[in-house]
Amino acid sequence: MSRIVILTGSMRRGGNTDLLAEAFARGASLHNQVEILSVADYPVHPCLQRQGHTCVQQDAMQEIYPKLRDADVLVLASPVYFYGISAQLKAIIDRLHTPMRDSFRIRRTALLLVGAASLPELFDAILTEYNLACRFFHLEHAGQVLVRGVKEKGDVRAGDALQQAYDLGASIAEPALNLAKARRLCYTNKIK
């Protein structure tokens, strides 16, 4: 059993990002302990000043660090804003630039993205950054669900994106995924 933390990057409660994350969590909770952390509940600010290698700012990151330190799998879920993840989620990721991250147990990651546009290259910039980070930190990519064409709250319910997210979550049962299975679980979906 793995401990999974899902960081959701949308301020819109109950929106498409939350629905995708909740579907993933339902599947993952069959074999794992799962916790969803929403940027709407954990306000984190960019680092303003460092003392040594630690940000002096005291905010919700003090609650997030211990949760990430105990996690085996990290899932990033975000709406796409101007071809990037949300600023709120990026602030959390940027605050992980600390030696403390060396004590984290995280070895696997997954990605859940929703975007209003239908452009084929909608996720390219995020995927480049995500893949570079996975490579640098030697993290195994457990899979992804990328959903285009979802704008209004609840649009993600059309199509099979929620089932894909559930299936991806349910597939995370062993410490390491079979690479062929992980490739099959890297979905890209377009609603509409």
Side-chain angles (χ1 to χ4, degrees), residues 12 16-17 78-84 113-120 122-123 126 146-153 155-156 189-192:
R12 181 166 68 171
N16 296 313
T17 302
S78 183
V80 176
Y81 298 144
F82 292 99
Y83 309 101
L113 299 174
V114 296
S118 295
L119 301 168
L122 177 63
F123 305 111
I126 297 170
L146 311 176
V147 189
R148 294 175 176 83
V150 292
K151 181 178 181 180
E152 301 304 323
K153 194 172 185 177
D155 279 354
V156 75
N189 192 7
K190 179 180 176 187
I191 304 294
K192 294 180 184 177

Side-chain angles (χ1 to χ4, degrees), residues 2-6 24 28 32-35 71-73 75 172:
S2 294
R3 177 160 168 68
I4 300 173
V5 171
I6 304 171
F24 179 95
N32 305 283
Q33 181 182 356
V34 182
E35 184 173 10
D72 301 296
V73 179
V75 179
I172 299 179

Side-chain angles (χ1 to χ4, degrees), residues 11-109:
M11 296 298 286
R12 181 166 68 171
R13 295 182 190 277
N16 296 313
T17 302
D18 286 356
L19 293 172
L20 206 59
E22 289 163 6
F24 179 95
R26 280 193 303 278
S29 64
L30 296 173
H31 308 289
N32 305 283
Q33 181 182 356
V34 182
E35 184 173 10
I36 298 175
L37 306 178
S38 172
V39 296
D41 298 326
Y42 292 89
V44 171
H45 307 287
C47 188
L48 299 175
Q49 179 183 358
R50 291 192 180 277
Q51 186 171 356
H53 293 291
T54 305
C55 179
V56 297
Q57 187 149 233
Q58 298 295 305
D59 57 14
M61 277 307 291
Q62 309 324 307
E63 298 173 61
I64 293 173
Y65 285 134
K67 295 173 185 293
L68 293 178
R69 187 176 19 250
D70 295 337
D72 301 296
V73 179
L74 174 62
V75 179
L76 301 175
S78 183
V80 176
Y81 298 144
F82 292 99
Y83 309 101
I85 61 173
S86 71
Q88 294 87 352
L89 182 56
K90 183 70 163 91
I92 292 173
I93 292 169
D94 286 350
R95 291 282 296 280
L96 297 177
H97 186 58
T98 170
M100 183 186 310
R101 73 173 178 253
D102 294 336
S103 67
F104 292 178
R105 296 187 335 215
I106 298 167
R107 295 295 170 253
R108 298 166 67 201
T109 62

